[in-house]
Each structure stands twice: as structure tokens, then as C-alpha cells.
Amino acid sequence: MKKLFLLTLLCSSYSTLAVDVIVNPANNSALDENEIKQIFIGKAKSFSDGSKALPITQVDGSSVTDEFNEKVLNKSSSQLKAYWSKLVFTGKGTPPKEAADDAEVIKLVASNPNLIGFVSSGAADGSVKVVKSF
């Protein structure tokens, strides 16, 4: 019984950071997990309504970026770097632009209806719309 309790405690504390995917409030596209993933890995270039989709990430190594990469993209930071290096080298893609932190992502997404980004859960304010939480 003691082992089960410790295992439960360990698993519950392993990943406590939640991530919110945000868009501009003018964006009325419905987005599921797969569509979000496709946009962030460069395989989808537009939202469901046909408007251009431009992903913005946060700096590599930040906890929210690591959490997003793991939960949504199912890739580690090094796997993602290798993925983008290959696409850039072959001329088949460019990685998303990076923002410094939650505040910068919110500011950029609020000012451009084509942007989609992610922030720490609870960081979004009324200037953006949360479309999915992970």
C-alpha cells in the first residue's frame, strides 16, 4: 500500500504545469489537438476557416515550451531541433518564431488574428482566447 501511495504521488507531481493554446479573439476556428500539432510542426498552414495560421513558440528550454512539446507535439526539445533542422536544410519548412515569455506571446497573439501560441495555464487575459488546455 505504501508503494502504491508513493507511486501515485510521484506520477502526480511529474507533470504539474498546464499549457493553454491561445488565439486572437477574432479567430473563430475550432481547433482540436491534432490540428494544433499540425500547425506547430509546419504541416498545416491555415486554420479551419481558411485564414493563415502562424505559430509562435516560447524560447527553447523554458518549462512551458518543454511541457507543450511533450504533451502536444510528443517530442523532446532535441527531437524537435532535429526535425526542424532537417526541414530547414531541405528547404521544406521554417520553425515557428520564438517569443521570450507568456507576456510576449499574449501581446503578439492579441495584435494579430493569424497567430497561434501557447502560454502557462492561467496566464491568458481578456485580449486573447484560450482554445485548448493541456
Side-chain angles (χ1 to χ4, degrees):
M1 188 67 156
K2 205 178 220 184
K3 288 180 184 179
L4 180 60
F5 173 75
L6 290 174
L7 182 60
T8 304
L9 185 62
L10 179 64
C11 289
S12 66
S13 65
Y14 174 72
S15 180
T16 58
L17 183 65
V19 178
D20 290 338
V21 176
I22 59 170
V23 296
N24 186 285
N27 185 330
N28 292 319
S29 298
L31 295 166
D32 64 23
E33 186 173 345
N34 187 55
E35 290 168 316
I36 293 167
K37 179 179 180 177
Q38 296 303 306
I39 290 169
F40 277 92
I41 62 171
K43 294 196 181 212
K45 306 283 187 204
S46 60
F47 291 109
S48 60
D49 68 358
S51 62
K52 191 172 187 176
L54 301 170
I56 184 160
T57 65
Q58 294 194 37
V59 291
D60 190 39
S62 73
S63 57
V64 68
T65 300
D66 291 343
E67 197 71 14
F68 178 82
N69 292 345
E70 227 175 84
K71 286 182 175 177
V72 182
L73 306 181
N74 300 315
K75 295 184 184 298
S76 68
S77 179
S78 59
Q79 288 172 320
L80 207 52
K81 279 183 188 178
Y83 172 81
W84 283 114
S85 292
K86 181 180 176 183
L87 288 181
V88 168
F89 181 75
T90 59
K92 294 182 179 177
T94 55
K97 300 284 187 219
E98 284 186 358
D101 55 24
D102 288 344
E104 187 177 359
V105 172
I106 292 167
K107 180 181 172 189
L108 292 168
V109 170
S111 67
N112 186 336
N114 293 326
L115 289 179
I116 180 172
F118 58 85
V119 295
S120 304
S121 184
D125 58 23
S127 67
V128 294
K129 178 171 66 172
V130 175
V131 291
K132 190 84 172 150
S133 296
F134 296 93

